[in-house]
Amino acid sequence: GGMAVVYRVRHATLGTRHALKVLSITSSDVKERLIQEGRVQATLRHPNVIGVSDVLDVAGAPGLLMEFIQGPALDHWLHNYQPSVEEALTIFRGIVAGVGHAHSKGLIHRDLKHANVMLHVDEHGVHPKVTDFGLAKLTDSGDKRRTRTGTTMGTPAYMSPEQIRDASTVDRRADLYSLGCILYELVCGCT
């Protein structure tokens, strides 16, 4: 993305593979958001959410140590493959399960889009995993400082009209709108 680079890394002692997301922008606000993203994602233990296990310092920049996914992002997959309706619905159900888990923990993603869904491919099939909680909002924190009133945050093609007007006031319905956009792309093959 425009703010970070993701590397495939191997743990020196354990030999396990991970993804390491390292900031390429050094602003203190962006650093704080990445650390908050790590905190948020680390609390979401769910098979349809990419796990974060640590925040590391990489040459002065924060980096998120995440679960490595063997497979493409949903946007790349849809660019090369048109799923059947049943395949699309199976993937969509997994995405909804991951987002539903986040909602049950009081989190609104606010940047759901096909590029923020990774597809883990193994011998049992394709399993969607929601990622990039960098714009997530904690609904019951009472902390309004993270998002200024009147601020637009997210990806415009996936944002509800309410989120375009003011990202600080949105609730779970904003994510439902974005999920509808993802479902449309899955079924219609549009990316």
Side-chain angles (χ1 to χ4, degrees), residues 44 46 49 93-107 112 130 172 175-176 179:
L44 298 176
H46 190 275
V49 175
R93 284 184 195 106
I95 297 167
V96 169
V99 173
H101 180 70
H103 286 178
S104 76
K105 300 291 185 184
L107 292 166
L112 288 170
V130 180
R172 295 174 182 155
D175 282 351
L176 296 179
L179 286 168

Short mmCIF file of all heavy atoms in Angstrom, two decimals, residues 44 46 49 93-107 112 130 172 175-176 179:
data_model
loop_
_atom_site.label_atom_id
_atom_site.label_comp_id
_atom_site.label_asym_id
_atom_site.label_seq_id
_atom_site.Cartn_x
_atom_site.Cartn_y
_atom_site.Cartn_z
N LEU A 44 -8.41 -9.95 18.10
CA LEU A 44 -9.42 -10.63 17.28
C LEU A 44 -8.94 -12.02 16.89
O LEU A 44 -8.45 -12.23 15.78
CB LEU A 44 -9.73 -9.81 16.02
CG LEU A 44 -10.31 -8.43 16.26
CD1 LEU A 44 -10.46 -7.69 14.94
CD2 LEU A 44 -11.64 -8.52 17.00
N HIS A 46 -9.79 -15.15 15.45
CA HIS A 46 -10.88 -15.74 14.68
C HIS A 46 -10.29 -16.32 13.39
O HIS A 46 -9.37 -15.74 12.81
CB HIS A 46 -11.93 -14.67 14.34
CG HIS A 46 -13.18 -15.22 13.77
ND1 HIS A 46 -13.32 -15.48 12.42
CD2 HIS A 46 -14.35 -15.58 14.35
CE1 HIS A 46 -14.53 -15.97 12.21
NE2 HIS A 46 -15.17 -16.03 13.36
N VAL A 49 -9.98 -13.77 10.45
CA VAL A 49 -9.26 -12.50 10.67
C VAL A 49 -7.78 -12.84 10.74
O VAL A 49 -7.38 -13.76 11.46
CB VAL A 49 -9.71 -11.81 11.98
CG1 VAL A 49 -8.87 -10.57 12.24
CG2 VAL A 49 -11.19 -11.45 11.92
N ARG A 93 -19.51 -15.60 3.18
CA ARG A 93 -19.89 -16.03 4.55
C ARG A 93 -18.69 -15.96 5.50
O ARG A 93 -18.82 -15.57 6.66
CB ARG A 93 -20.45 -17.44 4.53
CG ARG A 93 -21.86 -17.52 4.00
CD ARG A 93 -22.41 -18.96 4.08
NE ARG A 93 -23.59 -19.07 3.27
CZ ARG A 93 -23.67 -19.70 2.10
NH1 ARG A 93 -22.60 -20.31 1.59
NH2 ARG A 93 -24.80 -19.75 1.43
N GLY A 94 -17.51 -16.34 5.00
CA GLY A 94 -16.30 -16.25 5.83
C GLY A 94 -15.95 -14.82 6.17
O GLY A 94 -15.57 -14.51 7.30
N ILE A 95 -16.06 -13.94 5.18
CA ILE A 95 -15.78 -12.52 5.42
C ILE A 95 -16.74 -11.97 6.47
O ILE A 95 -16.34 -11.29 7.42
CB ILE A 95 -15.88 -11.71 4.11
CG1 ILE A 95 -14.83 -12.18 3.10
CG2 ILE A 95 -15.72 -10.21 4.38
CD1 ILE A 95 -15.04 -11.66 1.68
N VAL A 96 -18.03 -12.29 6.31
CA VAL A 96 -19.04 -11.83 7.26
C VAL A 96 -18.76 -12.38 8.66
O VAL A 96 -18.91 -11.66 9.66
CB VAL A 96 -20.47 -12.21 6.79
CG1 VAL A 96 -21.50 -11.98 7.87
CG2 VAL A 96 -20.83 -11.43 5.53
N ALA A 97 -18.31 -13.62 8.76
CA ALA A 97 -17.98 -14.20 10.07
C ALA A 97 -16.85 -13.43 10.74
O ALA A 97 -16.91 -13.13 11.94
CB ALA A 97 -17.62 -15.68 9.92
N GLY A 98 -15.81 -13.08 9.98
CA GLY A 98 -14.70 -12.30 10.53
C GLY A 98 -15.12 -10.91 10.96
O GLY A 98 -14.78 -10.44 12.05
N VAL A 99 -15.91 -10.25 10.12
CA VAL A 99 -16.39 -8.90 10.45
C VAL A 99 -17.36 -8.97 11.63
O VAL A 99 -17.32 -8.13 12.53
CB VAL A 99 -17.05 -8.23 9.22
CG1 VAL A 99 -17.71 -6.92 9.59
CG2 VAL A 99 -16.01 -8.00 8.12
N GLY A 100 -18.21 -9.99 11.65
CA GLY A 100 -19.14 -10.16 12.76
C GLY A 100 -18.41 -10.34 14.08
O GLY A 100 -18.83 -9.82 15.12
N HIS A 101 -17.30 -11.08 14.04
CA HIS A 101 -16.49 -11.26 15.25
C HIS A 101 -15.94 -9.91 15.72
O HIS A 101 -15.97 -9.60 16.92
CB HIS A 101 -15.37 -12.25 15.00
CG HIS A 101 -14.51 -12.49 16.19
ND1 HIS A 101 -14.95 -13.16 17.31
CD2 HIS A 101 -13.23 -12.11 16.45
CE1 HIS A 101 -13.98 -13.20 18.21
NE2 HIS A 101 -12.93 -12.57 17.71
N ALA A 102 -15.43 -9.11 14.78
CA ALA A 102 -14.93 -7.77 15.13
C ALA A 102 -16.05 -6.93 15.74
O ALA A 102 -15.85 -6.26 16.76
CB ALA A 102 -14.34 -7.08 13.90
N HIS A 103 -17.24 -6.99 15.14
CA HIS A 103 -18.37 -6.23 15.68
C HIS A 103 -18.73 -6.70 17.09
O HIS A 103 -19.06 -5.88 17.95
CB HIS A 103 -19.58 -6.36 14.76
CG HIS A 103 -19.45 -5.57 13.50
ND1 HIS A 103 -20.42 -5.59 12.52
CD2 HIS A 103 -18.48 -4.75 13.03
CE1 HIS A 103 -20.06 -4.81 11.51
NE2 HIS A 103 -18.88 -4.29 11.80
N SER A 104 -18.64 -8.00 17.33
CA SER A 104 -18.96 -8.52 18.67
C SER A 104 -17.97 -8.02 19.72
O SER A 104 -18.28 -8.00 20.91
CB SER A 104 -19.01 -10.05 18.67
OG SER A 104 -17.69 -10.59 18.64
N LYS A 105 -16.78 -7.60 19.28
CA LYS A 105 -15.77 -7.05 20.18
C LYS A 105 -15.84 -5.53 20.24
O LYS A 105 -14.96 -4.87 20.81
CB LYS A 105 -14.36 -7.47 19.73
CG LYS A 105 -14.14 -8.96 19.70
CD LYS A 105 -14.12 -9.53 21.08
CE LYS A 105 -13.77 -11.01 21.04
NZ LYS A 105 -13.84 -11.62 22.33
N GLY A 106 -16.87 -4.94 19.59
CA GLY A 106 -17.04 -3.49 19.62
C GLY A 106 -16.22 -2.75 18.59
O GLY A 106 -16.00 -1.54 18.73
N LEU A 107 -15.77 -3.42 17.53
CA LEU A 107 -14.93 -2.78 16.51
C LEU A 107 -15.67 -2.62 15.19
O LEU A 107 -16.35 -3.54 14.74
CB LEU A 107 -13.68 -3.62 16.26
CG LEU A 107 -12.70 -3.68 17.41
CD1 LEU A 107 -11.69 -4.78 17.18
CD2 LEU A 107 -11.98 -2.34 17.55
N LEU A 112 -13.43 -1.81 4.83
CA LEU A 112 -13.65 -3.11 4.19
C LEU A 112 -13.69 -2.92 2.68
O LEU A 112 -14.40 -2.07 2.17
CB LEU A 112 -14.97 -3.72 4.66
CG LEU A 112 -14.97 -4.23 6.10
CD1 LEU A 112 -16.39 -4.59 6.51
CD2 LEU A 112 -14.05 -5.43 6.24
N VAL A 130 -9.99 -11.40 6.89
CA VAL A 130 -10.05 -9.94 6.89
C VAL A 130 -8.78 -9.39 7.51
O VAL A 130 -8.28 -9.91 8.51
CB VAL A 130 -11.29 -9.44 7.67
CG1 VAL A 130 -11.37 -7.92 7.68
CG2 VAL A 130 -12.57 -10.03 7.07
N ARG A 172 -21.87 0.04 12.95
CA ARG A 172 -21.71 -1.22 12.21
C ARG A 172 -22.35 -1.18 10.82
O ARG A 172 -21.94 -1.91 9.93
CB ARG A 172 -22.33 -2.36 13.01
CG ARG A 172 -21.61 -2.61 14.29
CD ARG A 172 -22.33 -3.64 15.12
NE ARG A 172 -21.61 -3.82 16.36
CZ ARG A 172 -22.15 -4.25 17.46
NH1 ARG A 172 -23.42 -4.58 17.50
NH2 ARG A 172 -21.43 -4.38 18.54
N ASP A 175 -20.00 -0.80 7.89
CA ASP A 175 -19.36 -2.04 7.44
C ASP A 175 -20.33 -2.90 6.63
O ASP A 175 -19.92 -3.55 5.66
CB ASP A 175 -18.83 -2.84 8.63
CG ASP A 175 -17.53 -2.29 9.20
OD1 ASP A 175 -16.92 -1.40 8.58
OD2 ASP A 175 -17.11 -2.79 10.27
N LEU A 176 -21.60 -2.90 7.00
CA LEU A 176 -22.60 -3.67 6.23
C LEU A 176 -22.71 -3.15 4.81
O LEU A 176 -22.82 -3.92 3.85
CB LEU A 176 -23.96 -3.64 6.92
CG LEU A 176 -24.03 -4.30 8.28
CD1 LEU A 176 -25.43 -4.18 8.86
CD2 LEU A 176 -23.58 -5.74 8.22
N LEU A 179 -19.72 -4.43 3.00
CA LEU A 179 -19.89 -5.86 2.72
C LEU A 179 -20.79 -6.06 1.50
O LEU A 179 -20.55 -6.95 0.69
CB LEU A 179 -20.48 -6.59 3.94
CG LEU A 179 -19.51 -6.82 5.09
CD1 LEU A 179 -20.28 -7.27 6.34
CD2 LEU A 179 -18.44 -7.81 4.72
#
